[in-house]
Amino acid sequence: MIRSFASPQLYIQGPGAFDTQLGQLRRLGNQALVVTDQYVYDLVGKSLISNLTVVGIHGCPFFIDSQREAFAEQMRAGTLTAWVADLLGVSGDKEKEFGKFFVIGLGGGGALDVAKTLAHALQVNVAVLPTSAATDAATSRISVIYDEAGVFQRYDYYETNPAIVLVDSQVIFAAPAKMLAQGIADGLATYVEARAVWEDGSSNTVGARPTLTALGIAEKCRAVLFAESQQALKDQEAGRLTAAFEAVIEANILLSGLGFENGGLSLAHAFHNVLQGNPDLQVPRAHGEVVAVGLLLQLAAEKRGTEFEEYYSLLKALDLPVSLQGLGLTLELNQVKKLVAGILATEKAGNHLPAKMTAADLLAAFKKMN
């Protein structure tokens, strides 16, 4: 089988990066649509757009909390380019000033997913500027699609990764600690899932055999998070932006992002997708919180007792859910059986399950997770 590895062209991380490193974006163009939400815009977006002008980039905000429906309508009508030109103020007689256009995703997962979708539709580059380390989505060529009620629908896969990922660790440091912890859970699942794919000789999210590099990155992600995550959260609580905190940011965003995309996804994310794709259960929990339980479910189903205890102890220390009840779920047997059937069917959606895993294994694992 062909091996393949995908990644952004450039990853930059450090304190004050949104102030000092914006010149790196100039290679992508001089007109940027900044996909964000009103909260993030007020927090950092307004100053970032002002700073873009200093490096010769004209930026205009696009708010996912008020303009998403208009975006969808323009997509359906085939008039997206003209609409974006109008937003940037370069339509009509000024169209010749449109210049080289690109998209910036600024914020959390929702903004980043829409930014990737928009850049793909327009066939332009996208730069990703996450404002938290709650997930590992920033580096990938994937958008997660939810419906208006927040129910998981599918993954959308694109031809290329973001051109640039720019991470301001001061901005991440200012985000709530629980978001960092959620990203740690997402990152801890990376190696467990990549190992399942590797051991069965299966495919990663790019549709190819994982490389040794991918598995190595996933292992390093695990090692960093076990060694540094508790210290990083203590440092954040004490108001110290330390090497441990920087290491956890890199693990959550870069190592986990490259590891999951190139190593592959398995049961931990299959559990998340099936659970969040079930409107009857209505689990209003963050991605990383659900993945934390999915991670333990995978270890239980694989009968890795020692590892289960190690991960359980760390997740509990990070105040993350470690059971179905921790997610607010009390499931009857028929509900569990439906979840098991859904998980077993996720191979078609890109979530590899260990070849030897059976429905009985999953039922026993669910029983352990009550």
PDB file of all heavy atoms in Angstrom, residues 335-347:
ATOM      1  N   GLN A 335     -30.228   1.162  23.856  1.00  0.00           N
ATOM      2  CA  GLN A 335     -29.507   2.357  23.402  1.00  0.00           C
ATOM      3  C   GLN A 335     -28.033   2.042  23.187  1.00  0.00           C
ATOM      4  O   GLN A 335     -27.423   2.502  22.217  1.00  0.00           O
ATOM      5  CB  GLN A 335     -29.659   3.482  24.420  1.00  0.00           C
ATOM      6  CG  GLN A 335     -31.066   4.049  24.526  1.00  0.00           C
ATOM      7  CD  GLN A 335     -31.176   5.087  25.605  1.00  0.00           C
ATOM      8  OE1 GLN A 335     -30.854   4.848  26.772  1.00  0.00           O
ATOM      9  NE2 GLN A 335     -31.634   6.285  25.235  1.00  0.00           N
ATOM     10  N   VAL A 336     -27.456   1.258  24.095  1.00  0.00           N
ATOM     11  CA  VAL A 336     -26.055   0.857  23.951  1.00  0.00           C
ATOM     12  C   VAL A 336     -25.874   0.032  22.681  1.00  0.00           C
ATOM     13  O   VAL A 336     -24.914   0.237  21.922  1.00  0.00           O
ATOM     14  CB  VAL A 336     -25.575   0.065  25.181  1.00  0.00           C
ATOM     15  CG1 VAL A 336     -24.172  -0.500  24.944  1.00  0.00           C
ATOM     16  CG2 VAL A 336     -25.581   0.945  26.424  1.00  0.00           C
ATOM     17  N   LYS A 337     -26.785  -0.870  22.434  1.00  0.00           N
ATOM     18  CA  LYS A 337     -26.684  -1.713  21.235  1.00  0.00           C
ATOM     19  C   LYS A 337     -26.748  -0.871  19.960  1.00  0.00           C
ATOM     20  O   LYS A 337     -26.038  -1.151  18.987  1.00  0.00           O
ATOM     21  CB  LYS A 337     -27.785  -2.759  21.244  1.00  0.00           C
ATOM     22  CG  LYS A 337     -27.565  -3.879  22.252  1.00  0.00           C
ATOM     23  CD  LYS A 337     -28.672  -4.920  22.181  1.00  0.00           C
ATOM     24  CE  LYS A 337     -28.397  -6.077  23.139  1.00  0.00           C
ATOM     25  NZ  LYS A 337     -29.493  -7.091  23.102  1.00  0.00           N
ATOM     26  N   LYS A 338     -27.572   0.178  19.968  1.00  0.00           N
ATOM     27  CA  LYS A 338     -27.644   1.066  18.812  1.00  0.00           C
ATOM     28  C   LYS A 338     -26.333   1.820  18.625  1.00  0.00           C
ATOM     29  O   LYS A 338     -25.863   2.002  17.494  1.00  0.00           O
ATOM     30  CB  LYS A 338     -28.806   2.045  18.975  1.00  0.00           C
ATOM     31  CG  LYS A 338     -30.171   1.413  18.775  1.00  0.00           C
ATOM     32  CD  LYS A 338     -31.281   2.447  18.911  1.00  0.00           C
ATOM     33  CE  LYS A 338     -32.653   1.811  18.703  1.00  0.00           C
ATOM     34  NZ  LYS A 338     -33.743   2.811  18.868  1.00  0.00           N
ATOM     35  N   LEU A 339     -25.729   2.260  19.735  1.00  0.00           N
ATOM     36  CA  LEU A 339     -24.438   2.940  19.647  1.00  0.00           C
ATOM     37  C   LEU A 339     -23.362   1.992  19.129  1.00  0.00           C
ATOM     38  O   LEU A 339     -22.527   2.370  18.302  1.00  0.00           O
ATOM     39  CB  LEU A 339     -24.039   3.510  21.009  1.00  0.00           C
ATOM     40  CG  LEU A 339     -24.806   4.731  21.502  1.00  0.00           C
ATOM     41  CD1 LEU A 339     -24.364   5.101  22.914  1.00  0.00           C
ATOM     42  CD2 LEU A 339     -24.609   5.923  20.567  1.00  0.00           C
ATOM     43  N   VAL A 340     -23.371   0.763  19.610  1.00  0.00           N
ATOM     44  CA  VAL A 340     -22.395  -0.231  19.151  1.00  0.00           C
ATOM     45  C   VAL A 340     -22.544  -0.468  17.654  1.00  0.00           C
ATOM     46  O   VAL A 340     -21.551  -0.496  16.910  1.00  0.00           O
ATOM     47  CB  VAL A 340     -22.558  -1.547  19.931  1.00  0.00           C
ATOM     48  CG1 VAL A 340     -21.774  -2.682  19.254  1.00  0.00           C
ATOM     49  CG2 VAL A 340     -22.091  -1.372  21.366  1.00  0.00           C
ATOM     50  N   ALA A 341     -23.766  -0.617  17.196  1.00  0.00           N
ATOM     51  CA  ALA A 341     -23.997  -0.827  15.761  1.00  0.00           C
ATOM     52  C   ALA A 341     -23.512   0.369  14.954  1.00  0.00           C
ATOM     53  O   ALA A 341     -22.907   0.216  13.883  1.00  0.00           O
ATOM     54  CB  ALA A 341     -25.484  -1.075  15.498  1.00  0.00           C
ATOM     55  N   GLY A 342     -23.755   1.567  15.468  1.00  0.00           N
ATOM     56  CA  GLY A 342     -23.295   2.769  14.778  1.00  0.00           C
ATOM     57  C   GLY A 342     -21.788   2.856  14.722  1.00  0.00           C
ATOM     58  O   GLY A 342     -21.207   3.212  13.693  1.00  0.00           O
ATOM     59  N   ILE A 343     -21.134   2.507  15.825  1.00  0.00           N
ATOM     60  CA  ILE A 343     -19.671   2.536  15.863  1.00  0.00           C
ATOM     61  C   ILE A 343     -19.081   1.526  14.885  1.00  0.00           C
ATOM     62  O   ILE A 343     -18.132   1.822  14.151  1.00  0.00           O
ATOM     63  CB  ILE A 343     -19.174   2.270  17.303  1.00  0.00           C
ATOM     64  CG1 ILE A 343     -19.493   3.470  18.196  1.00  0.00           C
ATOM     65  CG2 ILE A 343     -17.683   1.958  17.320  1.00  0.00           C
ATOM     66  CD1 ILE A 343     -19.284   3.220  19.672  1.00  0.00           C
ATOM     67  N   LEU A 344     -19.659   0.329  14.851  1.00  0.00           N
ATOM     68  CA  LEU A 344     -19.160  -0.689  13.934  1.00  0.00           C
ATOM     69  C   LEU A 344     -19.334  -0.281  12.471  1.00  0.00           C
ATOM     70  O   LEU A 344     -18.605  -0.752  11.598  1.00  0.00           O
ATOM     71  CB  LEU A 344     -19.870  -2.021  14.189  1.00  0.00           C
ATOM     72  CG  LEU A 344     -19.516  -2.717  15.508  1.00  0.00           C
ATOM     73  CD1 LEU A 344     -20.421  -3.913  15.733  1.00  0.00           C
ATOM     74  CD2 LEU A 344     -18.054  -3.152  15.525  1.00  0.00           C
ATOM     75  N   ALA A 345     -20.275   0.608  12.211  1.00  0.00           N
ATOM     76  CA  ALA A 345     -20.527   1.052  10.835  1.00  0.00           C
ATOM     77  C   ALA A 345     -19.662   2.234  10.424  1.00  0.00           C
ATOM     78  O   ALA A 345     -19.688   2.643   9.256  1.00  0.00           O
ATOM     79  CB  ALA A 345     -22.003   1.422  10.674  1.00  0.00           C
ATOM     80  N   THR A 346     -18.860   2.781  11.346  1.00  0.00           N
ATOM     81  CA  THR A 346     -18.116   4.003  11.029  1.00  0.00           C
ATOM     82  C   THR A 346     -16.883   3.774  10.172  1.00  0.00           C
ATOM     83  O   THR A 346     -16.210   4.738   9.802  1.00  0.00           O
ATOM     84  CB  THR A 346     -17.689   4.754  12.313  1.00  0.00           C
ATOM     85  OG1 THR A 346     -16.881   3.883  13.118  1.00  0.00           O
ATOM     86  CG2 THR A 346     -18.894   5.211  13.099  1.00  0.00           C
ATOM     87  N   GLU A 347     -16.546   2.519   9.869  1.00  0.00           N
ATOM     88  CA  GLU A 347     -15.440   2.266   8.943  1.00  0.00           C
ATOM     89  C   GLU A 347     -15.663   3.030   7.640  1.00  0.00           C
ATOM     90  O   GLU A 347     -14.724   3.557   7.039  1.00  0.00           O
ATOM     91  CB  GLU A 347     -15.326   0.769   8.641  1.00  0.00           C
ATOM     92  CG  GLU A 347     -14.815  -0.071   9.790  1.00  0.00           C
ATOM     93  CD  GLU A 347     -13.297  -0.177   9.852  1.00  0.00           C
ATOM     94  OE1 GLU A 347     -12.625   0.539   9.078  1.00  0.00           O
ATOM     95  OE2 GLU A 347     -12.795  -0.954  10.672  1.00  0.00           O
TER      96      GLU A 347
END
